[in-house]
Amino acid sequence: MPVLELNVENIQPETVHKDFRLWLTSTPSPFFPVALLQNGYKMTVEPPRGIKANLLKAYMNQVPDFGDYFNSSESKVPNFKWLLFALCLFHGVVLERRKFGPLGFNIPYEFTDGDLRICISQLHMFLTEYNEVPLRMLTYTAGHINYGGRVTDDWDRRCLLCLLADYYTPAVLSERHYFDEQGAYHQQPATASLDDYTRYIRGLPLNDEPALFGLHSNANISYAVSETNYCIGTLRDLQPKEVSSEGGVSIEEMTDRAAKDILEVLPAVLDVPFISQNYPVSYKESLNTVLIQEAIRYNKLSNVIDSTLRDLLKALKGLVVMSEALESMVGSLIRQDVPSLWSARAYPSLKPLGAWVKDLCQRVQFMRAWSEEGIPRVFWISGFFFPQAFLTGALQNYARKHVIAIDTVAYAFEPLASPPAKKPEDGCCVRGLYLEGARWNVGDMALEESRAKELYTEMAIIYMKPEQGHKLASGLYECPTYKTLVRAGTLSTTGHSTNYVMTIELATHKPQAHWIKRGVALFCALDY
């Protein structure tokens, strides 16, 4: 690279031909000379966007390597053509699902052309070696190894295998098979040549319907909202870092007002000695311990918020030094973000500052009501710092009451049409969950398709009933439950995910695969 830079510097415009140009192609490299980038025109190759572009890229770059076999007259060639088109379509679908964010996959995986290439060569190899089409083998190599090998989240693996099942299936081995309801994506005749395929692909629609990816039409709204937020966030980051005053009000005055407003509504700390006295550690009631632990956590957070805001007010008056942490806090308050000093000691949340403070007040009020009025009939699961401790505590109560091992006990789930009249003998009732990707039909007590433009809906109160040796019944969807809409989390020191809470079984009249592809999940809190 340094030699290249030197050579370019030594090119004298007076001594070279007027039409001389230096054309350089490179993969991204940190060692590429900055001077060359500054003095030249830059062009980048964007990855194709849309199913049509992905299919065209595959049939222009990868499929011609098998052109001789593709255009031969062997008896297995039609099956190869049909499975090849299904595979290329699957590749496009998993790539394009990423644009829908967590609704598509919890983690955006970088599936590459290499994954497709190895799958095509395996497809060719297995079809030539076996008399029957080895669909199980093809599904395993593609779903568990080539594509599945990149997938680190269990729920994403479940989704990937459900998607692959639509493409590696005996049904696709027919020229009358359609991949979508509109009939735009379908198999070609057995005699179709490579040119026929590329001609057909060029005629496909430019815009893809979410139904092709197994998603509801509302997914387009989620995608548009996230794109808009990303653009606005980028624009905000490009703004000058020296924050100027707005509307005649200085930054100091705005910060001072925001800090005082928060201090005004900040709830008083919970009385831990009173809670410890009224709810002592008990063998028969594990939820007492949960309440004490939650109260301590919320008090620590309230104290941090109170002390940092008071320090900030002093710093604005010049009474104490404005530290880097306090300066960062000023920027957060102006942008309506939760300061990092608070979020580091708080529960996971995507809410903006105003909604976050209101949510904190409601959480502390829920704990206060519990401590003053006794164990509630219905628990607000979103109000817990650590909901897994509460869920384990309720299981522990049942196991100790009936003298059975806790690891043999699991929850059965019963959504309720109305709030219960009294606290259940065993287990607990929870509220405060939200559904994404579907809605709960209270009349039918089953999952149903979302209404148009309704991205999130409130879930009914759920009675969690402990059962020994609980097994999944048919006609149920295993619905993952998360704390926030991000879905993806990391493994914490407690052995639990920082985001995933539990799996809740919900009744459904449709196959489980339908809701898996829809990305249906439950959440403790939304982002507003």
Side-chain angles (χ1 to χ4, degrees):
M1 287 293 190
V3 175
L4 169 69
E5 189 174 9
L6 195 65
N7 287 346
V8 173
E9 279 177 10
N10 291 335
I11 294 172
Q12 301 298 325
E14 301 82 24
T15 57
V16 296
H17 193 278
K18 66 180 177 68
D19 290 333
F20 169 77
R21 300 288 183 274
L22 178 63
W23 179 279
L24 298 166
T25 57
S26 166
T27 52
S29 166
F31 309 108
F32 201 88
V34 177
L36 287 187
L37 289 172
Q38 289 172 339
N39 295 330
Y41 290 103
K42 275 79 69 182
M43 281 180 280
T44 59
V45 181
E46 285 283 320
R49 296 188 78 168
I51 297 292
K52 179 181 175 178
N54 275 297
L55 281 174
L56 202 57
K57 184 183 178 187
Y59 272 83
M60 299 289 277
N61 297 350
Q62 315 242 29
V63 178
D65 296 345
F66 302 89
D68 294 342
Y69 183 73
F70 195 97
N71 293 321
S72 69
S73 55
E74 279 191 42
S75 60
K76 296 176 183 177
V77 169
N79 284 347
F80 175 72
K81 289 178 183 177
W82 290 327
L83 284 169
L84 175 64
F85 182 73
L87 176 63
C88 292
L89 190 55
F90 165 75
H91 179 74
V93 164
V94 293
L95 282 178
E96 287 302 300
R97 264 184 84 102
R98 293 181 308 180
K99 76 178 186 182
F100 296 103
L103 204 56
F105 288 116
N106 290 0
I107 300 164
Y109 302 100
E110 293 294 329
F111 298 116
T112 64
D113 292 345
D115 300 327
L116 178 61
R117 190 179 296 113
I118 192 70
C119 281
I120 294 173
S121 63
Q122 285 172 344
L123 173 64
H124 175 250
M125 181 177 71
F126 289 150
L127 282 182
T128 50
E129 282 186 12
Y130 292 88
N131 295 324
E132 296 292 319
V133 178
L135 282 172
R136 271 187 68 191
M137 201 180 295
L138 289 167
T139 301
Y140 190 85
T141 52
H144 289 276
I145 300 170
N146 303 331
Y147 285 92
R150 293 186 182 277
V151 178
T152 53
D153 187 285
D154 288 340
W155 300 103
D156 286 344
R157 187 184 300 275
R158 179 179 79 154
C159 179
L160 185 86
L161 291 171
C162 275
L163 288 167
L164 185 60
D166 289 344
Y167 297 95
Y168 269 175
T169 170
V172 304
L173 302 174
S174 161
E175 57 188 55
R176 291 189 293 276
H177 182 74
Y178 289 88
F179 292 97
D180 65 327
E181 290 174 7
Q182 283 77 27
Y185 298 87
H186 56 82
Q187 293 288 24
Q188 297 302 293
T191 54
S193 65
L194 193 51
D195 290 337
D196 294 333
Y197 269 91
T198 50
R199 205 175 302 117
Y200 159 68
I201 291 167
R202 287 182 199 279
L204 288 172
L206 270 174
N207 298 319
D208 310 313
E209 287 296 317
L212 182 62
F213 310 110
L215 296 164
H216 190 272
S217 57
N218 284 348
N220 267 343
I221 301 172
S222 300
Y223 167 58
V225 168
S226 67
E227 282 284 285
T228 306
N229 288 339
Y230 176 74
C231 289
I232 291 171
T234 307
L235 285 170
R236 190 177 71 179
D237 292 342
L238 291 171
Q239 297 302 304
K241 296 300 174 194
E242 292 79 26
V243 192
S244 58
S245 61
E246 291 179 20
V249 182
S250 69
I251 292 304
E252 287 76 13
E253 287 171 333
M254 287 168 67
T255 310
D256 184 83
R257 192 190 305 160
K260 284 176 178 172
D261 286 348
I262 294 170
L263 280 171
E264 213 172 280
V265 297
L266 193 67
V269 292
L270 295 158
D271 191 344
V272 175
F274 170 79
I275 294 171
S276 301
Q277 189 180 342
N278 285 13
Y279 298 88
V281 175
S282 164
Y283 181 79
K284 290 183 178 177
E285 187 51 85
S286 301
L287 294 183
N288 288 1
T289 309
V290 174
L291 176 60
I292 294 166
Q293 289 172 345
E294 289 289 319
I296 292 167
R297 289 190 189 106
Y298 279 115
N299 282 357
K300 279 183 181 175
L301 177 58
S302 296
N303 289 334
V304 166
I305 295 170
D306 186 77
S307 62
T308 51
L309 283 174
R310 293 189 189 283
D311 286 347
L312 180 62
L313 289 171
K314 287 177 188 173
L316 289 171
K317 290 174 184 172
L319 299 173
V320 296
V321 176
M322 177 72 82
S323 65
E324 192 180 335
L326 290 176
E327 205 167 321
S328 157
M329 194 169 154
V330 171
S332 298
L333 291 176
I334 296 299
R335 292 193 307 270
Q336 279 291 298
D337 289 339
V338 179
S340 55
L341 280 172
W342 304 353
S343 58
R345 291 165 177 79
Y347 41 85
S349 178
L350 302 176
K351 294 177 186 287
L353 183 60
W356 188 86
V357 172
K358 188 179 177 183
D359 180 55
L360 173 64
C361 295
Q362 289 172 345
R363 285 165 175 258
V364 174
Q365 181 52 41
F366 168 67
M367 293 298 162
R368 200 183 306 282
W370 181 352
S371 65
E372 291 172 359
E373 298 164 16
I375 294 173
R377 286 176 299 168
V378 180
F379 291 89
W380 182 38
I381 195 166
S382 315
F384 288 95
F385 227 101
F386 190 49
Q388 288 96 329
F390 156 69
L391 295 166
T392 308
L395 277 183
Q396 206 166 38
N397 282 349
Y398 178 82
R400 286 173 174 176
K401 180 181 175 182
H402 298 277
V403 198
I404 49 178
I406 190 169
D407 56 358
T408 63
V409 183
Y411 283 117
F413 305 91
E414 185 189 330
L416 306 175
S418 58
K422 60 175 186 175
K423 181 180 173 289
E425 285 292 315
D426 294 318
C428 55
C429 293
V430 299
R431 62 178 174 87
L433 292 172
Y434 300 90
L435 264 172
E436 183 183 25
R439 67 184 178 90
W440 184 254
N441 186 331
V442 181
D444 211 15
M445 295 308 274
L447 280 175
E448 204 167 276
E449 293 291 358
S450 300
R451 295 188 184 97
K453 300 179 184 177
E454 204 174 63
L455 303 184
Y456 311 108
T457 54
E458 211 166 320
M459 182 62 197
I461 293 170
I462 299 174
Y463 169 40
M464 298 187 177
K465 183 183 177 183
E467 281 184 3
Q468 190 174 15
H470 174 72
K471 286 185 174 65
L472 179 69
S474 59
L476 293 176
Y477 166 60
E478 291 182 277
C479 185
T481 307
Y482 302 96
K483 293 178 188 175
T484 68
L485 295 171
V486 171
R487 300 194 188 203
T490 53
L491 202 65
S492 65
T493 50
T494 57
H496 292 89
S497 166
T498 52
N499 207 347
Y500 172 75
V501 178
M502 70 185 305
T503 304
I504 292 179
E505 295 156 11
L506 299 175
T508 168
H509 299 310
K510 294 190 176 181
Q512 184 168 219
H514 176 80
W515 303 114
I516 291 171
K517 288 183 284 187
R518 283 277 194 268
V520 175
L522 283 163
F523 299 94
C524 293
L526 302 178
D527 56 357
Y528 54 85

